[in-house]
Amino acid sequence: MSLQQVAVIGAGTMGNGIAHVFAQGGFKVNLIDVNQAQLEKALQTITKNFDRQIAKGSATEDQKAAALGRITTFNDLSAGVLNAELVVEAATENVDLKLKIFKQLDECANPNAILATNTSSISITKIASVTKRANKVIGMHFMNPVPVMKLVEIINGYATDKDVTDMIVALSKQLGKVPCVVNDYPGFIANRILMPMINEAIYSLYEGVAGVEEIDTVMKLGMAHPMGPLQLADFIGLDVCYSILKVLHDGFGNPKYAPCPLLTNMVTAGYLGAKSGEGFYKYTPGSKDLVVSGMFKK
Ligand code: NAD
């Protein structure tokens, strides 16, 4: 199958990055979001990220212009997926929303189209079950920031065809990524291991064991992590972390996965991390300084 047209659903943190790498890889991309402001912001982010690549010498102005020219934006899902051979869904991490989107997708996308989801934790088998093509549904879990991070965790649902997996593996390599195929259990591999660590870091803060900077410094300097777990949580989005922990908690029925009450409070209050301007740190547009949120200053 030689793919040409891709549709990406959701133009948030992940959707803009996914659109970026497909467009850079020569694919035509329909980028779909219900929120027009998000689509405009996504195009600005893609432009900014290309400028970074150009400054580093990994892309040229011509490549940027060509890639941006391959992206078309849509508010309407059925119009945006009509001609797509592959759909990559990257909408908000909410199970009811994903089931609704996949039901609609199954009805309006080409019957031969592969339907992939970038979900961090929701069961691929469950998402596939609302379609009439469970064999063509697969997890294609990119990492944040998508243009930079090499890994794509590919998740086989219970009924995913081997041909579909092989095709997504080959496509990921074509995008310059390193695919890793795993099976469909809560959190897959990446978040089953990452989220309990982030939750434990939040518990350590909540219980007063240490402050934000101390927790992140211990993990950066002591464990050679490029970024501390609290900064990483801000970067992922605290609402996304919360949703993944809920999936792990519900899926395994083990209390060790219950989201820390501090995380729950922060999400309820709208302190979602970098994307909302404040989480464990405070973010000022244009500034790279890491400033601890006033909420956690001693
Ligand atoms: P986000 O909140 O930044 O963006 C979600 C986007 O989906 C928003 O722009 C929203 O307007 C849009 N949306 C909501 N309902 C929609 C609909 N019906 N149709 C079209 N668009 C719709 O979220 P995100 O962080 O980009 O996460 C997207 C997906 O990627 C989630 O499944 C998440 O678990 C996964 N993911 C996130 C990360 C991360 O680091 N943030 C990493 C890997 C995977």
Side-chain angles (χ1 to χ4, degrees), residues 12-14 33 38 90-93 98 118 120 141-142 144 236:
T13 311
M14 297 303 288
D33 202 297
Q38 282 289 83
T92 313
E93 185 77 344
K98 303 242 187 233
N118 185 54
S120 302
H141 184 203
F142 290 88
N144 184 16
I236 292 169

Side-chain angles (χ1 to χ4, degrees), residues 92-150:
T92 313
E93 185 77 344
N94 172 298
V95 67
D96 293 334
L97 175 69
K98 303 242 187 233
L99 297 183
K100 189 171 146 231
I101 288 176
F102 272 76
K103 216 167 186 307
Q104 192 186 347
L105 257 182
D106 192 38
E107 283 157 15
C108 53
N110 184 306
N112 295 319
I114 293 174
L115 308 183
T117 171
N118 185 54
T119 179
S120 302
S121 60
I122 297 167
S123 163
I124 308 304
T125 307
K126 184 169 186 166
I127 291 174
S129 72
V130 299
T131 74
K132 293 188 184 73
R133 57 177 108 179
N135 59 328
K136 289 190 169 63
V137 177
I138 191 162
M140 194 175 188
H141 184 203
F142 290 88
M143 304 291 133
N144 184 16
V146 183
V148 176
M149 298 291 278
K150 286 278 177 201

